[in-house]
Each structure stands twice: as C-alpha cells, then as structure tokens.
C-alpha cells in the first residue's frame, strides 16, 4: 500500500465506500451491552433501551457513520429527519457505543432505508441516557418517507466497556476505497491538478485498473466529479490503445455502469474480478478519463484562455461563509437580488448541481440547518428536487417560497469535491502551540533545489492571513501577526517573500501580489516575520439596511451640545474653525443594527488591558474604528465622512433561543454573540454624518463595518451598505438601501449610474 502511494506522490486519493445491491456492510450493536458502560456502572441506560437494538447502515460510509436503524419488536426501522438535531445525534451515538456525535445528516444521505419509520419529530436535549427518554410523535407514528431518513456521524471513539465481541458479524464485501487518475506518460512532470489518465481504484491487494469494456461518458462524469472536476471530455482512444499494448496492467474492476448522476463511483453498478480469474478484460484496455477543470483550477494557460474566450453571463448561484474553497451557504440570484435556499428536500443531487455549476466536482455533502451560517433577506427557493443532470439549480423543479414557509435557520449549504493541487504542501507553520498557529513558512523553487523560508511581516494583515489559513486547509484566520518573536523559528531564518498583498479570496499565497525574488523588508530578523492563528469558525457581521433607510433624518445640532463629539473626532474638519459654542452643525442621523450571522462571536482584537477610557461619554473603546460613514458623489468622491469607534460592543437583543453574553456595564466583556445584534440608536453621539459642508445634489450614502479588517470575518463582501440619497439643502431622501453584495452586477451598475433619482417619501 505505502509503496503504491509513494509511486505517485502527486496523486491524492479520494475515499469512497463500496455498496453492492445484494449486501450491506452493517455494524449491528446491541444497546444493552454494546456502546454503554457495564451494567454495574450504568444500569439506567441498560434498562431504558431494553428491547431495542441499534445499527448504522447505508452507503457510502465509514464505520462510525451511517443511517440510524432501530430494531423494535423484532422489526428494523429508521428515524425521520424532521426536527432532528445534533443533540439527538449525541444520544443515538451513545446508544451505538460511541462517545459523542460530530454531525448528522438528512434526506437519506446514506440511502433510503426500508420497513417502518419508528420515530418522527425526535427532540432530545442531548443528556438523555436513552432515546426512549426523548420526545417524539410516538413509536411508529410518522408522516415521512424513507427519502427523509436521518443519519449520524459519530466521533471515532468508543465508550468504556465496549467489546468487539458485541459486533454481530455479517458478510464483508469488497470495497472501492479510493480512486485516482494516473497519467499514462510523464506523470512526474505533469502540473497539478492531474486531469487526464488511467482510472485506478485501490482494493485490498493494491491499486488496480478498470476494464474499459462498456465504459461510458456517464462513468467518466462520475469519476471526474469525485476528483473535483465539473465535466469531462473525449480522450484520444487510439493513443491509449496503442500505449496499452506496450504496458502491463492489473485489472481489478469491470462492468462499471453509471447513470452519470451518482456522487460516488461506489453507487454505480460494478463487478470485481475474482482471484482465480485468469482472463481479465479480454479485448479491452484500461479505462481512461479526461476531466475539464473549473475556472479556479485551470491547469494550463491554454485551458484558461479557452475558458476566458467563452462568453459568460453573471453567475446565478454562489457560496457564502465557507471555511474552505467549495463550501458554503447556497445563495441564488432572483429578480436582481440574492437570496438563500430552504433545506427542505435538499439532497446530494441538488448539492452536486450547485457544485458543478460553480466549477467544482460533485458534492461531498448536502448541508441543512444553516450549518454554514444564516443568511438575511429573501429565501428564494424551497423543496428543490434535482435529478443530478441539470446544468443549473434553476433548472431543477422547485417551490417558490413565502415568508411563512421557511426561516433562515433552515438555509441550505454544500461541501464540494475539489481537485488536488498540492498547494498545502508548499506552506507550513512552525513554533506555535498547536497545529492552528505559528510562524508562516513557504516553499520556493529555483535557482537550485526547493527550499523553505519565512515571510516578511511588513503590511501582513488579516486578508493575507486568511489566504494562508485557507491554503493550509485550516479554515479562517483569527489573527495575522507581524511579529512572531515568541515562536521559535528553528533553523529557518531566510526571508524569501515580502510585500505580500492579498484581496482575501486567493487560494494560495503565490496568487497574491508580492515582491517576487527580490525581497525587501523594513524590519529585518526572524522576530518580524509573518504568523497566523487559524480557526474553523469566524464571525460575520451584517448591517440591517432597511433600518438605516427607515430612521434617517437631518438635525441641526447646536455646537454647545457637541463638545464630546468633537473630542472623539465625530465632526467634519471644518468644525475646528467654527465659532464655539455658537452656531450649529447639520447632521444626517440614522440608527444601525449590526447582526452577527457567523459561527463565532465577534470579539475586539485588543484585550481589555488596552481598551481606552473616554471620560466624556463614560465608556471604554475596544476598537479604534468600528464603522465608516461616508457621503459619496456618483463617481465615488468622498464629500463627507464620519467614523465610529466601538463605543460599546454588546448584545442588545438576540434570537429567541440565544442568550446574551456581552454587556459593557461595569467594565464588562465586549463583543457580539452569534445570533445577536448590537443596536446603535439614531439619538446617540457620533451616530451620524456631519453634512454641514455638503452642497445640494444626488449622492450615495455608504456605511462600512470593520473597515480595516481588524477582526477576522468569514465574509467581508457583505460589510458595506449603500443607499441612494438626494439632498436639496433642507431635506434628504434616502432610499434603495442594500448590502453591497445583495444586488446583481447589473443592478449595482444601475444603482451607481442614477443615484438619488427615484422619487421617495421625504425622510
């Protein structure tokens, strides 16, 4: 096995699990003795589940995941996914002998079961000793079909007292564990990702080829999807036939027949050669595929040019808030406005359509329950039912939704298969306390052999750290550090990269702008090199744009009431030369409500020890600048500005099932909890823009949260809000307020072309 993998160091296998129509690999666990402590230590659990047996079933899966099946009164059945939660998964995983659950699945991800549906609307707190203690509709009372069977993903760690002798032995079938493409020639010199070559599967006795007799484009489509490619193309069959005559092959699989909609090769009909089969693939050769990479992964300049030459309209589907490439909350464009998709009926077929439409492979996982964070605004689609052959999610049958049908707690998401590029092998962290932090080291080539080096810390910030963590496969960046003297650099001391400037969307640091081979660093020495602290979760702030529009108004405020505001730099520069305390300043006032829709709390970067006390207002500032408020001309010229420090980051209100964590009183902790929002009312100091010097005309009101990227977020594209406004010198009309990425590109162009022209009620 190890020798086979070393023979092709540039390949990354893709794990799949084999399913044959005549057999299941079932792990049948008896709850009275399996997966629980001994009766003497936990008698209540044994009694609570008496008469019930549990097992994991389905495909493709690993031993600690699968469709949950329960045997009651001698009959096996399943659980419906309605109202299913991670807490219920915890209880079931303990019934199955595992310590806890790491996730759960819906919509029969592991295939539909048979027989009864024993439980529906299962509701657990997670602390129950037995599933019988959880609330439900009652045994056998369900309105579901097996297309809604629930599954669990348990932590691969057994409860104390578990014994392998408790496993009910079943017949084991051959499994296709991994699949790869092996270039027929020149594999050591091929650029990554590898897009064309022989299809190989890993069997218990090593890697084997697949007989191409009966091989179809549908088969190639499935293999390419598994390896992260959206589509396939024809291969030069004559060339590979000639090449096959000069090489020896080891065939292990034949008779592969896919429909083209499968997410895994293991879901296709296929046959294995027996050990005593002497004539393998007579008259045939090894199956070959040629995959077409998506725009992000085009391997050669020729492919890039070919793809760029094709006219492409604006995308109508996108992914938001994913920690890794090819994952996120699914959003679709309708009537020039982006909205989310409800997770009802959401499955791998629909998820695969989204993934391929975006230039990735088939879907690894269809996510429900807002696993990638909750969106805001419209929910455009529900009950999407794709066959898997559609070219766009909009081609799938679906239900148009109303506000009563679904909530953002049911936003659908995806995780897609990605091509292997080897980018994570060219970067590493050193000196940190864990694998998620450390000084960044990158591998560069030539002249001479490859070598590792450090990155200059000058101008290194959150956006650059985001790209580094993404390349490492570690999710988001909590911090981008310009000094790393407290981390040991080992024997790596050379700075090989400087001037790194990223937009934050790149897949690897070598895609960012930098100085090239001639490094320039203002501060020399290893203590001033770049470092990161990565995290799988991040916050995501979003401004409630409608509230800005509803609350905007003009106030002429006397100067004698603005001393505190002047001290905190909340007035235009011309206020310094005003005749204090006489006269007034004209202020555009509005309320702002800032939601945290991410998967981690928004916390100030600076610790409490460095917060600044402001005697005038009697509070601490935990961030120097929290928001920018600007009035822009249609061409983007700034004519008025304001900024707001984080006067007090706290949870003003929260969703129904979320508790407040942050409160500023008594030097309390500051932040915004996931599912909560911070409200700045229009009548507090600095919640305005000083427009005293602005002339009448048409303008754009722009508000940007976290403008300096001081705190990491999963998505910075939704931090800006824009409104059209028309000012006549006495009154102002504010309308068409929207988040910066909420409109289509064409709608944004129309917005910026005609600011303030739409008639609206006087604000």
């Amino acid at each position: 096995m190890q020798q086979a993998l070393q023979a092709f160091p540039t390949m990354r296998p893709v794990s799949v699990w084999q399913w044959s129509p005549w057999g299941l690999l079932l792990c049948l666990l008896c709850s009275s003795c399996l997966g629980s402590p001994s009766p003497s230590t936990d008698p209540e659990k044994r009694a609570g589940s008496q008469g019930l047996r549990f097992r994991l079933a389905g495909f493709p899966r690993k031993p600690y995941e699968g469709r949950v099946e329960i045997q009651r009164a001698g009959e096996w059945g399943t659980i419906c996914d309605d109202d299913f939660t991670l807490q219920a998964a915890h209880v079931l995983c303990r019934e199955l002998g595992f310590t806890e659950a790491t996730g759960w699945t819906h919509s029969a991800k592991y295939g539909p079961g048979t027989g009864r549906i024993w439980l529906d609307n299962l509701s657990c707190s997670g602390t129950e000793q037995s599933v019988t203690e959880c609330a439900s509709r009652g045994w056998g009372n369900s309105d579901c079909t097996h297309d809604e069977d629930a599954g669990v993903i348990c932590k691969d760690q057994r409860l104390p007292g578990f014994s392998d002798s408790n496993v009910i032995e079943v017949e084991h079938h051959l499994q296709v564990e991994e699949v790869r493409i092996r270039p027929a020639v020149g594999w050591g010199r091929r650029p990554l990702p590898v897009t064309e070559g022989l299809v190989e599967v890993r069997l218990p006795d090593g890697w084997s080829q697949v007989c191409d007799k009966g091989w179809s484009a549908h088969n190639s489509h499935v293999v390419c999807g598994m390896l992260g490619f959206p589509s396939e193309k024809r291969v030069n069959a004559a060339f590979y036939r000639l090449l096959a005559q000069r090489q020896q092959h080891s065939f292990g699989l034949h008779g592969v027949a896919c429909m083209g909609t499968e997410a895994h090769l293991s879901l296709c009909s296929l046959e294995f050669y027996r050990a005593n089969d002497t004539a393998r693939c007579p008259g045939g050769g090894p199956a070959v595929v040629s995959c077409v990479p998506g725009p992000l992964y085009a391997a050669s300049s020729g492919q890039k040019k070919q793809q760029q030459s094709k006219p492409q309209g604006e995308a109508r589907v996108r992914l938001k808030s994913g920690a890794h490439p090819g994952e996120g909350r699914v959003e679709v464009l309708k009537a020039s406005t982006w909205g989310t998709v409800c997770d009802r009926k959401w499955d791998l077929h629909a998820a695969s359509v989204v993934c391929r439409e975006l230039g990735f492979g088939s879907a690894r996982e269809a996510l429900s329950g807002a696993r990638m964070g909750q969106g805001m605004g419209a929910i455009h689609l529900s009950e999407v039912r794709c066959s898997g052959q559609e070219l766009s999610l909009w081609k799938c049958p679906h239900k148009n939704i109303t506000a009563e049908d679904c909530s953002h707690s049911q936003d659908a998401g995806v995780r897609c298969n990605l091509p292997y590029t080897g980018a994570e092998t060219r970067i590493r962290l050193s000196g940190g306390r864990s694998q998620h932090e450390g000084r960044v080291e990158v591998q560069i080539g030539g002249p001479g052999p490859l070598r590792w080096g450090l990155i200059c810390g000058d101008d290194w910030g959150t956006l650059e750290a985001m790209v580094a963590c993404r390349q490492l496969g570690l999710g988001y960046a909590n911090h981008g550090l310009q000094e790393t003297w407290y981390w040991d650099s080992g024997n790596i001391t050379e700075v090989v990269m400087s001037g790194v400037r990223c937009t934050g969307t790149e897949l690897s640091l070598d895609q960012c702008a930098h100085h090239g081979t001639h490094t320039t660093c203002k501060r020399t020495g290893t203590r001033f090199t770049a470092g990161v602290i990565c995290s799988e979760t991040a916050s995501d702030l979003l401004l409630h744009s409608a509230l800005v529009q509803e609350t905007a108004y003009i106030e002429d405020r006397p100067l004698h009431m603005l001393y505190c505001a002047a001290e905190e730099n909340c007035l235009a520069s011309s206020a310094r030369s005003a005749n204090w305390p006489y006269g007034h300043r004209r202020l555009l006032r509005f309320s702002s409500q800032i939601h945290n829709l991410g998967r981690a709390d928004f916390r100030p970067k600076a610790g409490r020890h460095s917060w600044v006390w402001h005697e005038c207002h009697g509070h601490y500032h935990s961030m120097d600048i929290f928001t920018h408020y600007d009035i822009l001309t249609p061409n983007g010229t700034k004519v008025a500005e304001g900024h707001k420090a984080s006067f007090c980051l706290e949870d003003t209100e929260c969703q129904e099932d979320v508790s407040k964590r942050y409160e500023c009183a008594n030097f309390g902790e500051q932040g915004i909890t996931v599912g909560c929002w911070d409200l700045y009312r229009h009548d507090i100091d600095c919640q305005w823009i000083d427009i005293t010097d602005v002339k009448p005309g048409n303008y754009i009101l722009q508000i940007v949260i976290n403008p300096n990227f001081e705190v990491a977020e999963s998505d910075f594209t939704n931090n800006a809000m824009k409104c059209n406004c028309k000012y006549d010198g006495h009154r102002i009309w504010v309308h068409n307020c929207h988040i910066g990425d909420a409109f289509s590109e064409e709608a944004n162009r129309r917005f910026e072309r005609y600011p303030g022209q739409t008639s609206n009620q006087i604000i």
Side-chain angles (χ1 to χ4, degrees), residues 156-455:
D156 191 14
Q157 181 178 339
R158 289 293 185 182
L159 285 169
F162 171 78
S163 172
D164 288 337
S165 62
N166 291 325
V167 178
I168 300 175
E169 294 295 337
V170 296
E171 180 184 358
H172 289 270
H173 298 277
L174 279 174
Q175 298 177 0
V176 174
E177 296 180 354
E178 298 169 7
V179 172
R180 69 182 183 188
I181 296 177
R182 180 174 67 85
V185 292
W187 60 267
R189 301 184 300 274
R190 289 292 183 94
L192 295 176
V194 175
T195 60
E196 182 173 308
L198 310 183
V199 179
E200 294 193 336
V201 296
R202 187 163 67 87
L203 300 177
D205 56 350
W207 289 95
S208 300
Q209 286 84 45
V210 181
C211 181
D212 68 353
K213 294 182 70 173
W215 188 265
S216 67
H218 290 323
N219 298 352
S220 297
H221 192 68
V222 172
V223 170
C224 288
M226 290 171 55
L227 296 171
F229 303 107
S231 59
E232 73 293 337
K233 62 182 180 180
R234 294 175 62 90
V235 298
N236 187 341
F239 167 76
Y240 283 100
R241 284 279 179 169
L242 182 63
L243 195 64
Q245 295 174 7
R246 304 179 181 180
Q247 297 177 341
Q248 290 205 352
H249 300 283
S250 173
F251 293 102
L253 202 62
H254 68 106
V256 180
C258 302
M259 297 176 61
T261 60
E262 296 87 350
H264 302 269
L265 187 67
S266 59
L267 303 180
C268 303
S269 173
L270 47 83
E271 297 181 44
F272 295 91
Y273 283 110
R274 299 183 183 90
N276 58 356
D277 286 337
T278 55
R280 299 193 176 191
C281 200
V288 179
V289 297
S290 181
C291 304
V292 179
L296 284 176
Y297 298 95
S300 67
S301 59
Q303 287 174 309
K304 290 181 180 178
K305 290 178 181 178
Q306 184 178 3
Q307 290 181 354
Q308 291 172 355
S309 64
K310 296 179 180 179
Q312 294 182 346
E314 183 180 0
R316 297 188 66 195
V317 63
R318 69 184 183 186
L319 301 181
K320 303 290 283 188
S321 300
H324 305 279
E327 72 173 29
R329 180 178 62 250
V330 178
E331 296 189 354
V332 293
L333 186 66
K334 181 180 180 182
S336 297
T337 303
W338 289 97
T340 62
V341 178
C342 183
D343 63 11
R344 291 180 183 170
K345 310 284 187 191
W346 189 250
D347 60 14
L348 274 177
H349 286 307
S352 290
V353 170
V354 169
C355 290
R356 290 184 188 271
E357 184 177 358
L358 291 170
F360 305 111
S362 52
R364 284 193 296 118
E365 195 171 355
L367 303 172
S368 63
R371 292 265 299 279
M372 289 295 169
Q374 296 187 25
M376 280 191 76
I379 301 175
H380 286 328
L381 300 179
S382 180
E383 297 187 19
V384 180
R385 302 296 284 177
C386 301
S387 68
Q389 298 177 334
E390 296 85 355
L391 297 179
S392 170
L393 192 67
W394 284 102
K395 301 294 184 182
C396 302
H398 60 269
K399 176 182 176 183
N400 291 321
I401 198 164
T402 63
E404 295 78 21
D405 288 337
C406 206
S407 68
H408 282 296
S409 64
Q410 297 169 271
D411 284 343
V414 297
R415 286 195 177 104
C416 306
N417 287 316
L418 306 179
Y420 177 64
T421 64
E424 73 277 9
T425 65
R426 301 191 297 272
I427 187 172
R428 67 188 184 190
L429 300 181
S430 67
R433 297 162 297 179
S434 72
Q435 64 175 358
H436 290 86
E437 68 177 29
R439 182 182 281 110
V440 181
E441 297 179 0
V442 292
Q443 189 182 57
I444 64 169
L450 296 174
R451 68 188 193 277
W452 290 93
L454 305 172
I455 300 176

Side-chain angles (χ1 to χ4, degrees), residues 38-119:
S38 61
S40 61
T41 60
D42 196 359
E44 292 182 6
K45 183 176 189 299
R46 181 170 60 92
S49 296
Q50 191 170 7
L52 299 180
R53 302 171 72 191
F54 299 82
R55 69 185 182 188
L56 293 173
F59 58 88
R61 66 180 185 87
K62 297 177 182 178
Y64 48 83
E65 65 176 326
R67 180 178 64 248
V68 180
E69 295 192 352
I70 304 176
Q71 188 186 54
R72 185 173 188 267
E75 184 178 358
W76 287 99
T78 62
I79 300 175
C80 180
D81 61 12
D82 289 351
D83 298 332
F84 200 89
T85 63
L86 185 62
Q87 286 70 32
H90 282 312
V91 176
L92 288 164
C93 282
R94 289 198 295 270
E95 295 273 26
L96 288 157
F98 299 95
T99 56
E100 61 181 326
T102 60
W104 63 277
T105 65
H106 62 97
S107 303
K109 175 188 174 181
Y110 300 103
T114 58
R116 299 283 293 273
I117 298 178
W118 278 123
L119 293 173

